[in-house]
PDB file of all heavy atoms in Angstrom:
ATOM      1  N   ILE A  25       6.832  29.323   1.187  1.00 89.00           N
ATOM      2  CA  ILE A  25       6.858  29.855   2.562  1.00 89.00           C
ATOM      3  C   ILE A  25       8.315  30.103   2.997  1.00 89.00           C
ATOM      4  O   ILE A  25       8.614  31.096   3.637  1.00 89.00           O
ATOM      5  CB  ILE A  25       6.180  28.864   3.553  1.00 89.00           C
ATOM      6  CG1 ILE A  25       4.747  28.559   3.128  1.00 89.00           C
ATOM      7  CG2 ILE A  25       6.261  29.370   5.007  1.00 89.00           C
ATOM      8  CD1 ILE A  25       3.687  29.464   3.606  1.00 89.00           C
ATOM      9  N   HIS A  26       9.195  29.164   2.592  1.00 89.00           N
ATOM     10  CA  HIS A  26      10.602  29.316   2.959  1.00 89.00           C
ATOM     11  C   HIS A  26      11.174  30.596   2.350  1.00 89.00           C
ATOM     12  O   HIS A  26      11.878  31.358   3.018  1.00 89.00           O
ATOM     13  CB  HIS A  26      11.391  28.094   2.475  1.00 89.00           C
ATOM     14  CG  HIS A  26      12.815  28.095   2.917  1.00 89.00           C
ATOM     15  ND1 HIS A  26      13.197  27.665   4.156  1.00 89.00           N
ATOM     16  CD2 HIS A  26      13.950  28.520   2.300  1.00 89.00           C
ATOM     17  CE1 HIS A  26      14.500  27.810   4.279  1.00 89.00           C
ATOM     18  NE2 HIS A  26      14.984  28.316   3.170  1.00 89.00           N
ATOM     19  N   LYS A  27      10.812  30.841   1.085  1.00 91.00           N
ATOM     20  CA  LYS A  27      11.327  32.030   0.381  1.00 91.00           C
ATOM     21  C   LYS A  27      10.836  33.318   1.069  1.00 91.00           C
ATOM     22  O   LYS A  27      11.622  34.212   1.352  1.00 91.00           O
ATOM     23  CB  LYS A  27      10.844  31.985  -1.077  1.00 91.00           C
ATOM     24  CG  LYS A  27      11.350  33.099  -1.944  1.00 91.00           C
ATOM     25  CD  LYS A  27      10.867  32.924  -3.380  1.00 91.00           C
ATOM     26  CE  LYS A  27      10.943  34.211  -4.136  1.00 91.00           C
ATOM     27  NZ  LYS A  27       9.754  35.029  -4.109  1.00 91.00           N
ATOM     28  N   ILE A  28       9.534  33.352   1.322  1.00 90.00           N
ATOM     29  CA  ILE A  28       8.959  34.565   1.927  1.00 90.00           C
ATOM     30  C   ILE A  28       9.523  34.785   3.334  1.00 90.00           C
ATOM     31  O   ILE A  28       9.906  35.905   3.689  1.00 90.00           O
ATOM     32  CB  ILE A  28       7.401  34.448   2.011  1.00 90.00           C
ATOM     33  CG1 ILE A  28       6.804  34.266   0.619  1.00 90.00           C
ATOM     34  CG2 ILE A  28       6.788  35.665   2.701  1.00 90.00           C
ATOM     35  CD1 ILE A  28       7.091  35.387  -0.344  1.00 90.00           C
ATOM     36  N   SER A  29       9.572  33.701   4.120  1.00 90.00           N
ATOM     37  CA  SER A  29      10.040  33.877   5.502  1.00 90.00           C
ATOM     38  C   SER A  29      11.524  34.258   5.535  1.00 90.00           C
ATOM     39  O   SER A  29      11.929  35.052   6.381  1.00 90.00           O
ATOM     40  CB  SER A  29       9.758  32.631   6.339  1.00 90.00           C
ATOM     41  OG  SER A  29      10.215  31.504   5.677  1.00 90.00           O
ATOM     42  N   THR A  30      12.303  33.724   4.601  1.00 90.00           N
ATOM     43  CA  THR A  30      13.731  34.092   4.556  1.00 90.00           C
ATOM     44  C   THR A  30      13.865  35.583   4.223  1.00 90.00           C
ATOM     45  O   THR A  30      14.675  36.295   4.834  1.00 90.00           O
ATOM     46  CB  THR A  30      14.474  33.245   3.491  1.00 90.00           C
ATOM     47  OG1 THR A  30      14.203  31.874   3.747  1.00 90.00           O
ATOM     48  CG2 THR A  30      15.961  33.483   3.511  1.00 90.00           C
ATOM     49  N   GLU A  31      13.012  36.029   3.282  1.00 90.00           N
ATOM     50  CA  GLU A  31      13.021  37.452   2.903  1.00 90.00           C
ATOM     51  C   GLU A  31      12.674  38.322   4.126  1.00 90.00           C
ATOM     52  O   GLU A  31      13.337  39.332   4.389  1.00 90.00           O
ATOM     53  CB  GLU A  31      11.982  37.646   1.783  1.00 90.00           C
ATOM     54  CG  GLU A  31      12.047  38.998   1.101  1.00 90.00           C
ATOM     55  CD  GLU A  31      10.961  39.119   0.027  1.00 90.00           C
ATOM     56  OE1 GLU A  31      10.630  38.102  -0.622  1.00 90.00           O
ATOM     57  OE2 GLU A  31      10.425  40.236  -0.132  1.00 90.00           O
ATOM     58  N   LEU A  32      11.659  37.884   4.868  1.00 89.00           N
ATOM     59  CA  LEU A  32      11.239  38.647   6.047  1.00 89.00           C
ATOM     60  C   LEU A  32      12.340  38.655   7.112  1.00 89.00           C
ATOM     61  O   LEU A  32      12.637  39.712   7.689  1.00 89.00           O
ATOM     62  CB  LEU A  32       9.949  38.041   6.639  1.00 89.00           C
ATOM     63  CG  LEU A  32       8.650  38.261   5.840  1.00 89.00           C
ATOM     64  CD1 LEU A  32       7.519  37.434   6.428  1.00 89.00           C
ATOM     65  CD2 LEU A  32       8.262  39.736   5.827  1.00 89.00           C
ATOM     66  N   ILE A  33      12.939  37.483   7.328  1.00 89.00           N
ATOM     67  CA  ILE A  33      13.994  37.398   8.359  1.00 89.00           C
ATOM     68  C   ILE A  33      15.188  38.283   7.984  1.00 89.00           C
ATOM     69  O   ILE A  33      15.756  38.987   8.831  1.00 89.00           O
ATOM     70  CB  ILE A  33      14.446  35.922   8.573  1.00 89.00           C
ATOM     71  CG1 ILE A  33      13.336  35.150   9.282  1.00 89.00           C
ATOM     72  CG2 ILE A  33      15.728  35.841   9.410  1.00 89.00           C
ATOM     73  CD1 ILE A  33      13.526  33.652   9.309  1.00 89.00           C
ATOM     74  N   GLU A  34      15.530  38.293   6.692  1.00 89.00           N
ATOM     75  CA  GLU A  34      16.643  39.146   6.238  1.00 89.00           C
ATOM     76  C   GLU A  34      16.357  40.617   6.550  1.00 89.00           C
ATOM     77  O   GLU A  34      17.222  41.347   7.021  1.00 89.00           O
ATOM     78  CB  GLU A  34      16.836  38.981   4.727  1.00 89.00           C
ATOM     79  CG  GLU A  34      17.854  37.915   4.378  1.00 89.00           C
ATOM     80  CD  GLU A  34      17.939  37.694   2.880  1.00 89.00           C
ATOM     81  OE1 GLU A  34      17.635  38.608   2.103  1.00 89.00           O
ATOM     82  OE2 GLU A  34      18.288  36.552   2.496  1.00 89.00           O
ATOM     83  N   LYS A  35      15.098  41.000   6.270  1.00 88.00           N
ATOM     84  CA  LYS A  35      14.737  42.411   6.492  1.00 88.00           C
ATOM     85  C   LYS A  35      14.752  42.749   7.987  1.00 88.00           C
ATOM     86  O   LYS A  35      15.221  43.820   8.382  1.00 88.00           O
ATOM     87  CB  LYS A  35      13.360  42.705   5.896  1.00 88.00           C
ATOM     88  CG  LYS A  35      13.442  42.887   4.387  1.00 88.00           C
ATOM     89  CD  LYS A  35      12.109  43.154   3.755  1.00 88.00           C
ATOM     90  CE  LYS A  35      12.288  43.259   2.239  1.00 88.00           C
ATOM     91  NZ  LYS A  35      11.032  43.219   1.524  1.00 88.00           N
ATOM     92  N   VAL A  36      14.224  41.838   8.805  1.00 87.00           N
ATOM     93  CA  VAL A  36      14.209  42.102  10.264  1.00 87.00           C
ATOM     94  C   VAL A  36      15.645  42.129  10.792  1.00 87.00           C
ATOM     95  O   VAL A  36      15.969  42.932  11.667  1.00 87.00           O
ATOM     96  CB  VAL A  36      13.379  41.026  11.017  1.00 87.00           C
ATOM     97  CG1 VAL A  36      13.315  41.334  12.509  1.00 87.00           C
ATOM     98  CG2 VAL A  36      11.974  40.955  10.477  1.00 87.00           C
ATOM     99  N   SER A  37      16.498  41.251  10.227  1.00 87.00           N
ATOM    100  CA  SER A  37      17.879  41.187  10.714  1.00 87.00           C
ATOM    101  C   SER A  37      18.650  42.470  10.385  1.00 87.00           C
ATOM    102  O   SER A  37      19.655  42.769  11.032  1.00 87.00           O
ATOM    103  CB  SER A  37      18.600  39.985  10.105  1.00 87.00           C
ATOM    104  OG  SER A  37      17.902  38.821  10.418  1.00 87.00           O
ATOM    105  N   ARG A  38      18.161  43.177   9.362  1.00 83.00           N
ATOM    106  CA  ARG A  38      18.817  44.447   9.021  1.00 83.00           C
ATOM    107  C   ARG A  38      18.619  45.497  10.126  1.00 83.00           C
ATOM    108  O   ARG A  38      19.372  46.453  10.243  1.00 83.00           O
ATOM    109  CB  ARG A  38      18.252  44.978   7.700  1.00 83.00           C
ATOM    110  CG  ARG A  38      19.081  44.517   6.500  1.00 83.00           C
ATOM    111  CD  ARG A  38      18.731  45.357   5.300  1.00 83.00           C
ATOM    112  NE  ARG A  38      17.651  44.755   4.532  1.00 83.00           N
ATOM    113  CZ  ARG A  38      16.727  45.426   3.873  1.00 83.00           C
ATOM    114  NH1 ARG A  38      16.717  46.741   3.915  1.00 83.00           N
ATOM    115  NH2 ARG A  38      15.811  44.804   3.188  1.00 83.00           N
ATOM    116  N   LEU A  39      17.559  45.330  10.895  1.00 83.00           N
ATOM    117  CA  LEU A  39      17.295  46.268  11.987  1.00 83.00           C
ATOM    118  C   LEU A  39      18.346  46.053  13.086  1.00 83.00           C
ATOM    119  O   LEU A  39      18.663  44.914  13.414  1.00 83.00           O
ATOM    120  CB  LEU A  39      15.902  46.011  12.586  1.00 83.00           C
ATOM    121  CG  LEU A  39      14.692  46.300  11.691  1.00 83.00           C
ATOM    122  CD1 LEU A  39      13.441  45.693  12.301  1.00 83.00           C
ATOM    123  CD2 LEU A  39      14.528  47.793  11.517  1.00 83.00           C
ATOM    124  N   PRO A  40      18.867  47.125  13.649  1.00 82.00           N
ATOM    125  CA  PRO A  40      19.861  46.939  14.730  1.00 82.00           C
ATOM    126  C   PRO A  40      19.232  46.280  15.961  1.00 82.00           C
ATOM    127  O   PRO A  40      18.046  46.465  16.220  1.00 82.00           O
ATOM    128  CB  PRO A  40      20.311  48.371  15.044  1.00 82.00           C
ATOM    129  CG  PRO A  40      19.257  49.248  14.500  1.00 82.00           C
ATOM    130  CD  PRO A  40      18.618  48.543  13.361  1.00 82.00           C
ATOM    131  N   GLU A  41      20.075  45.498  16.679  1.00 77.00           N
ATOM    132  CA  GLU A  41      19.545  44.774  17.839  1.00 77.00           C
ATOM    133  C   GLU A  41      19.035  45.719  18.929  1.00 77.00           C
ATOM    134  O   GLU A  41      18.029  45.469  19.557  1.00 77.00           O
ATOM    135  CB  GLU A  41      20.622  43.846  18.413  1.00 77.00           C
ATOM    136  CG  GLU A  41      20.734  42.565  17.629  1.00 77.00           C
ATOM    137  CD  GLU A  41      21.761  41.620  18.216  1.00 77.00           C
ATOM    138  OE1 GLU A  41      21.885  41.543  19.440  1.00 77.00           O
ATOM    139  OE2 GLU A  41      22.435  40.960  17.413  1.00 77.00           O
ATOM    140  N   SER A  42      19.821  46.774  19.139  1.00 74.00           N
ATOM    141  CA  SER A  42      19.358  47.770  20.124  1.00 74.00           C
ATOM    142  C   SER A  42      19.664  49.167  19.578  1.00 74.00           C
ATOM    143  O   SER A  42      20.572  49.325  18.766  1.00 74.00           O
ATOM    144  CB  SER A  42      20.070  47.558  21.458  1.00 74.00           C
ATOM    145  OG  SER A  42      21.452  47.670  21.253  1.00 74.00           O
ATOM    146  N   ILE A  43      18.870  50.116  20.004  1.00 73.00           N
ATOM    147  CA  ILE A  43      19.055  51.474  19.491  1.00 73.00           C
ATOM    148  C   ILE A  43      19.446  52.401  20.641  1.00 73.00           C
ATOM    149  O   ILE A  43      18.732  52.498  21.645  1.00 73.00           O
ATOM    150  CB  ILE A  43      17.761  51.981  18.809  1.00 73.00           C
ATOM    151  CG1 ILE A  43      17.503  51.125  17.560  1.00 73.00           C
ATOM    152  CG2 ILE A  43      17.886  53.451  18.413  1.00 73.00           C
ATOM    153  CD1 ILE A  43      16.287  51.521  16.782  1.00 73.00           C
ATOM    154  N   GLU A  44      20.622  53.057  20.446  1.00 70.00           N
ATOM    155  CA  GLU A  44      21.058  53.978  21.502  1.00 70.00           C
ATOM    156  C   GLU A  44      20.827  55.439  21.100  1.00 70.00           C
ATOM    157  O   GLU A  44      20.606  56.288  21.945  1.00 70.00           O
ATOM    158  CB  GLU A  44      22.535  53.748  21.810  1.00 70.00           C
ATOM    159  CG  GLU A  44      22.722  52.583  22.759  1.00 70.00           C
ATOM    160  CD  GLU A  44      23.991  51.807  22.506  1.00 70.00           C
ATOM    161  OE1 GLU A  44      24.952  52.388  21.992  1.00 70.00           O
ATOM    162  OE2 GLU A  44      24.005  50.587  22.826  1.00 70.00           O
ATOM    163  N   HIS A  45      20.823  55.671  19.755  1.00 70.00           N
ATOM    164  CA  HIS A  45      20.588  57.055  19.291  1.00 70.00           C
ATOM    165  C   HIS A  45      19.207  57.147  18.683  1.00 70.00           C
ATOM    166  O   HIS A  45      18.856  56.368  17.799  1.00 70.00           O
ATOM    167  CB  HIS A  45      21.630  57.456  18.236  1.00 70.00           C
ATOM    168  CG  HIS A  45      23.013  57.342  18.746  1.00 70.00           C
ATOM    169  ND1 HIS A  45      23.540  58.218  19.684  1.00 70.00           N
ATOM    170  CD2 HIS A  45      23.995  56.433  18.503  1.00 70.00           C
ATOM    171  CE1 HIS A  45      24.782  57.835  19.963  1.00 70.00           C
ATOM    172  NE2 HIS A  45      25.078  56.749  19.272  1.00 70.00           N
ATOM    173  N   THR A  46      18.430  58.053  19.156  1.00 66.00           N
ATOM    174  CA  THR A  46      17.020  58.137  18.745  1.00 66.00           C
ATOM    175  C   THR A  46      16.852  58.445  17.251  1.00 66.00           C
ATOM    176  O   THR A  46      15.813  58.153  16.682  1.00 66.00           O
ATOM    177  CB  THR A  46      16.277  59.213  19.572  1.00 66.00           C
ATOM    178  OG1 THR A  46      17.045  60.418  19.515  1.00 66.00           O
ATOM    179  CG2 THR A  46      16.067  58.778  21.000  1.00 66.00           C
ATOM    180  N   GLU A  47      17.929  59.022  16.601  1.00 70.00           N
ATOM    181  CA  GLU A  47      17.802  59.326  15.166  1.00 70.00           C
ATOM    182  C   GLU A  47      17.624  58.043  14.345  1.00 70.00           C
ATOM    183  O   GLU A  47      17.061  58.077  13.238  1.00 70.00           O
ATOM    184  CB  GLU A  47      19.053  60.066  14.628  1.00 70.00           C
ATOM    185  CG  GLU A  47      19.460  61.311  15.353  1.00 70.00           C
ATOM    186  CD  GLU A  47      20.353  60.984  16.535  1.00 70.00           C
ATOM    187  OE1 GLU A  47      21.479  60.532  16.352  1.00 70.00           O
ATOM    188  OE2 GLU A  47      19.873  61.175  17.665  1.00 70.00           O
ATOM    189  N   LEU A  48      18.114  56.940  14.885  1.00 75.00           N
ATOM    190  CA  LEU A  48      18.047  55.665  14.135  1.00 75.00           C
ATOM    191  C   LEU A  48      16.615  55.149  13.983  1.00 75.00           C
ATOM    192  O   LEU A  48      16.332  54.332  13.115  1.00 75.00           O
ATOM    193  CB  LEU A  48      18.895  54.599  14.834  1.00 75.00           C
ATOM    194  CG  LEU A  48      20.406  54.707  14.620  1.00 75.00           C
ATOM    195  CD1 LEU A  48      21.128  53.739  15.531  1.00 75.00           C
ATOM    196  CD2 LEU A  48      20.761  54.414  13.167  1.00 75.00           C
ATOM    197  N   PHE A  49      15.705  55.598  14.843  1.00 74.00           N
ATOM    198  CA  PHE A  49      14.340  55.086  14.812  1.00 74.00           C
ATOM    199  C   PHE A  49      13.655  55.347  13.467  1.00 74.00           C
ATOM    200  O   PHE A  49      12.854  54.554  12.992  1.00 74.00           O
ATOM    201  CB  PHE A  49      13.506  55.700  15.945  1.00 74.00           C
ATOM    202  CG  PHE A  49      13.712  54.983  17.250  1.00 74.00           C
ATOM    203  CD1 PHE A  49      14.294  55.620  18.329  1.00 74.00           C
ATOM    204  CD2 PHE A  49      13.319  53.660  17.381  1.00 74.00           C
ATOM    205  CE1 PHE A  49      14.492  54.956  19.527  1.00 74.00           C
ATOM    206  CE2 PHE A  49      13.513  52.996  18.584  1.00 74.00           C
ATOM    207  CZ  PHE A  49      14.097  53.633  19.661  1.00 74.00           C
ATOM    208  N   ALA A  50      13.987  56.505  12.851  1.00 76.00           N
ATOM    209  CA  ALA A  50      13.365  56.846  11.563  1.00 76.00           C
ATOM    210  C   ALA A  50      13.753  55.832  10.484  1.00 76.00           C
ATOM    211  O   ALA A  50      12.903  55.379   9.706  1.00 76.00           O
ATOM    212  CB  ALA A  50      13.797  58.254  11.146  1.00 76.00           C
TER     213      ALA A  50
END
Side-chain angles (χ1 to χ4, degrees):
Chain A
I25 303 273
H26 186 82
K27 183 177 160 269
I28 300 300
S29 50
T30 307
E31 191 181 326
L32 288 171
I33 289 169
E34 267 175 26
K35 281 179 182 167
V36 182
S37 303
R38 267 196 269 147
L39 293 167
E41 280 182 37
S42 59
I43 294 181
E44 278 147 27
H45 302 288
T46 51
E47 306 86 67
L48 283 171
F49 277 115

